[in-house]
Amino acid sequence: MQITQLNRECLLHLFSFLDKNSRKSLAKTCHKLLEVFQDPLLWSLLNFHSPAELKKDNFLLGPALKYLSICWYSERVKVCNIEDWMKNNFQKDFCNRHENTVSDFLLEVCNRCPNLLSLTLSGCGHVTDDCISLLLKNCPNLRTLKLENCVRITDQTLDAVTLYGGSLQTLHVDFCRNITQTGLERVREKCPWIMLRAERSANMIPDNKPEKKLVFEKASRTLVRL
């Protein structure tokens, strides 16, 4: 028996064991397998290991998507975590190549995947509060939101959780240095049903813009003179 003689249910089951690249390669062999590749039922779960993978045409976004993770653990993540005003030209050039990649992808998710149940982002240093807020609005069934080492995430995201996270059951904001204890307490007060975790977030040193640092230094020098 040839693989194309199997019924659609069996083919979907076989495809489910393949990674995205293998699915795409197999789909190029004939129209029947291409139709299986394009079946939304195949794409309820998507895992990505770098921003570059988001640009590949080897997956399908649609209402069937329930679980999404983008976890980047490369050493290059450290460059994205440097405050923008402290980056040298080489670091800025590196970040410019993919600065909007994850955010643009998440906007597509907002528009095309309203049934999303779980989102995990790790090492996505350029994702902003506005992006997460929009996703919470457009994906009202979201139950799990896990953010790790996402340095641009602030209390604005926590405020969005209290406004739009009615279905949220689990919220992690680990190693997000611009999250504050005040914001966390606000979530605990307004959404007591959410299982909240913030490992090393509120205890880390938040980013301060240069002008704020300058004001602080001037105030410190004044106190020393007094």
Side-chain angles (χ1 to χ4, degrees):
M1 176 181 288
Q2 296 181 358
I3 188 173
T4 53
Q5 293 177 291
L6 296 173
N7 61 34
R8 192 177 189 86
E9 184 178 353
C10 288
L11 289 173
L12 281 170
H13 185 65
L14 290 175
F15 263 76
S16 68
F17 290 97
L18 303 177
D19 59 33
K20 296 185 291 297
N21 287 332
S22 299
R23 291 178 183 180
K24 183 67 174 180
S25 297
L26 188 57
K28 292 179 179 180
T29 59
C30 72
H31 290 296
K32 184 173 183 178
L33 296 181
L34 177 60
E35 290 177 359
V36 176
F37 174 84
Q38 294 173 338
D39 192 320
L41 294 177
L42 188 63
W43 303 102
S44 61
L45 168 67
L46 281 175
N47 294 317
F48 299 95
H49 303 291
S50 77
E53 291 186 17
L54 303 177
K55 298 180 180 181
K56 293 183 177 180
D57 185 26
N58 60 357
F59 59 90
L60 187 72
L61 279 183
L65 182 63
K66 301 292 182 62
Y67 307 94
L68 170 64
S69 70
I70 306 172
C71 298
W72 195 25
Y73 297 116
S74 167
E75 285 292 316
R76 298 178 180 182
V77 171
K78 295 180 180 179
V79 176
C80 300
N81 288 343
I82 300 172
E83 294 93 329
D84 290 340
W85 55 87
M86 293 182 64
K87 292 175 183 174
N88 57 39
N89 289 334
F90 174 80
Q91 292 166 333
K92 289 179 180 178
D93 180 64
F94 171 77
C95 287
N96 287 339
R97 297 175 191 174
H98 64 267
E99 182 170 6
N100 298 315
T101 301
V102 178
S103 295
D104 289 346
F105 178 80
L106 291 178
L107 290 178
E108 288 293 318
V109 172
C110 289
N111 295 327
R112 300 162 64 179
C113 310
N115 300 314
L116 190 68
L117 298 178
S118 175
L119 173 65
T120 299
L121 300 177
S122 180
C124 300
H126 299 296
V127 172
T128 63
D129 294 313
D130 290 340
C131 187
I132 300 300
S133 298
L134 185 61
L135 189 135
L136 286 166
K137 289 181 184 178
N138 289 16
C139 302
N141 300 318
L142 193 68
R143 298 176 187 173
T144 300
L145 177 61
K146 296 181 179 180
L147 305 175
E148 179 187 11
N149 204 11
C150 298
V151 295
R152 292 192 182 183
I153 297 301
T154 72
D155 287 357
Q156 184 179 328
T157 287
L158 300 183
D159 291 337
V161 166
T162 64
L163 292 174
Y164 312 115
S167 299
L168 209 60
Q169 299 173 359
T170 301
L171 173 63
H172 293 178
V173 282
D174 299 333
F175 295 88
C176 297
R177 64 173 178 250
N178 289 301
I179 292 292
T180 71
Q181 193 63 47
T182 300
L184 295 173
E185 291 300 328
R186 196 155 51 238
V187 173
R188 292 190 177 99
E189 177 185 350
K190 295 185 177 181
C191 308
W193 64 88
I194 293 180
M195 296 179 61
L196 177 61
R197 191 180 80 182
E199 184 178 346
R200 297 288 300 276
S201 288
N203 296 326
M204 299 179 76
I205 300 175
D207 295 345
N208 290 302
K209 292 184 177 180
E211 56 268 22
K212 291 184 179 180
K213 291 182 180 180
L214 183 61
V215 170
F216 178 77
E217 290 172 358
K218 288 182 177 178
S220 299
R221 285 196 294 270
T222 301
L223 288 173
V224 169
R225 294 193 189 101
L226 293 175

